[in-house]
Amino acid sequence: NAYDLAADDLKAKRIDAGGNDLSFDVQDAASDPAQVISLVQKFATDGTALIIGPTLSSEAFKADPIAVKANVPVLATSNTANGITGIGPCVFRDALSEDQVVPQALARTTARWHPKTAAIIYGDDDQFTKTDYDIFKRGLSAANIAIVETQTYHKGDVDFKAQLTEIASKKPDLLVIGSLVEEAAKIVGQAKAAGITAHMIGGNGLNSPKFITLAGPAADDVVVGAAYYSGNSYPGNREFVANYQKRFGSPPDQFAAQAYAAAQIVAAVAKSGKTAAADICGALSKLPPVKTVLGPFTFEADRNAKAPSAILTVKDGKFVAFG
């Protein structure tokens, strides 16, 4: 959706690409590792100037090396696991990594709530959710918060009662959720049904209106370490949110915003005269700050995103800044 909107905004000159005609060939990898690899192989050999994606960090670790070998730069818009940009010298991301976001969220919540104990539930078969576990565990240890229970699940699980019953018996002050949207929504609902009264916190994977829709009232007061807040006042964001809502009938989530920001970044590179794969890597490495819906954006020396983060919580069915 964000790329469709960006394509229209490029044509209307609302995104300035310096007169260059940019187009996005959007293909669905269907969360199928074989399909991801096939698509990246196609793009790496058909003259594509830049590959944006794939969606999941676990997919990126499998497919990005193909692009690296073909000298086609990659811009990751939703890969937040550690090590993504280390795949190759022309792999960039405009998504803040969990390592950039989670410690800030944890610091803010511990300063507010002063928890002494914590429990963690996370998916043990996904690169992103395992990264969440590692970062939260390290942060809790650094804050001298005792981890009294750790439970795992597998992607696609829908029943977390056994794990949450064990967690409830330990009465933690804080419940850490290392999850993507679908499982997280079920976990928070079942946690409250299990009598867990702990404050709940998660990472980027929960930063979507879909989490609130699926979890319903159970989402209220959950804290989310995130890379984007739809209510921010950065130039162009309010227009982006309004236009997205009008066109697609729902507000943009973090991943839509990061995709739209990718179009803004690519437009800035094209405007500088760099439009071929061989030139784009260098141009991204030297990218001056670009005004995006994520805020002023550039890349760190390690090609990770350099942009503001957002610590959010859910109130009355909406994300608001955690204050």
Side-chain angles (χ1 to χ4, degrees):
N1 289 348
Y3 293 126
D4 287 345
L5 187 60
D8 289 347
D9 288 348
L10 281 159
K11 291 175 185 175
K13 310 299 186 195
R14 288 187 288 270
I15 299 178
D16 184 6
N20 291 287
D21 183 17
L22 299 182
S23 62
F24 302 98
D25 181 359
V26 181
Q27 298 290 331
D28 182 8
S31 298
D32 178 349
Q35 179 76 344
V36 171
I37 290 170
S38 176
L39 286 171
V40 173
Q41 287 173 332
K42 169 185 178 296
F43 289 139
T45 56
D46 68 358
T48 291
L50 173 71
I51 295 174
I52 301 177
T55 303
L56 302 178
S57 296
S58 54
E59 296 171 345
F61 284 116
K62 291 182 176 69
D64 283 3
I66 299 167
V68 171
K69 187 175 181 180
N71 296 313
V72 177
V74 175
L75 177 53
T77 65
S78 57
N79 302 154
T80 59
N82 290 343
I84 292 295
T85 63
I87 295 172
C90 290
V91 178
F92 299 79
R93 61 174 157 193
D94 74 350
L96 287 174
S97 70
E98 290 294 84
D99 222 1
Q100 293 171 295
V101 169
V102 165
Q104 295 180 42
L106 191 56
R108 188 87 63 84
T109 54
T110 54
R112 169 77 68 83
W113 297 326
H114 308 290
K116 302 298 183 185
T117 61
I120 305 174
I121 181 168
Y122 74 100
D124 63 359
D125 58 348
D126 179 84
Q127 192 71 41
F128 171 85
T129 52
K130 288 191 290 185
T131 291
D132 259 4
Y133 167 70
D134 291 337
I135 298 169
F136 271 113
K137 181 182 178 183
R138 187 167 63 243
L140 291 167
S141 176
N144 295 314
I145 299 171
I147 300 173
V148 295
E149 185 66 33
T150 300
Q151 291 286 331
T152 62
Y153 65 87
H154 299 315
K155 191 183 298 183
D157 284 355
V158 296
D159 187 347
F160 306 92
K161 293 185 182 67
Q163 296 98 314
L164 293 169
T165 297
E166 286 296 316
I167 289 172
S169 70
K170 303 299 172 59
K171 297 182 170 58
D173 300 322
L174 189 67
L175 176 58
V176 171
I177 302 168
S179 181
L180 296 171
V181 169
E182 284 80 4
E183 290 84 5
K186 293 181 176 65
I187 288 169
V188 299
Q190 293 176 29
K192 291 187 176 181
I196 294 174
T197 58
H199 296 292
M200 300 186 201
I201 182 173
N204 271 309
L206 280 63
N207 185 22
S208 171
K210 187 177 180 181
F211 168 66
I212 299 173
T213 299
L214 293 175
D220 269 16
D221 299 321
V222 174
V223 172
V224 179
Y228 172 72
Y229 172 39
S230 62
N232 78 54
S233 58
Y234 297 123
N237 181 61
R238 289 177 180 172
E239 292 83 357
F240 163 66
V241 171
N243 292 340
Y244 190 101
Q245 175 83 43
K246 181 178 180 181
R247 179 162 177 178
F248 302 111
S250 61
D253 63 12
Q254 170 177 303
F255 307 106
Q258 288 169 169
Y260 190 87
Q264 294 175 305
I265 293 164
V266 174
V269 169
K271 188 177 179 180
S272 74
K274 309 299 185 183
T275 57
D279 301 321
I280 288 175
C281 180
L284 289 172
S285 296
K286 300 172 183 176
L287 186 75
V290 177
K291 292 180 180 179
T292 76
V293 295
L294 305 175
F297 183 94
T298 188
F299 292 103
E300 302 277 12
D302 59 4
R303 300 176 302 285
N304 280 307
K306 185 177 182 180
S309 65
I311 313 304
L312 310 177
T313 189
V314 182
K315 291 292 183 186
D316 300 322
K318 294 181 180 180
F319 282 118
V320 298
F322 181 74

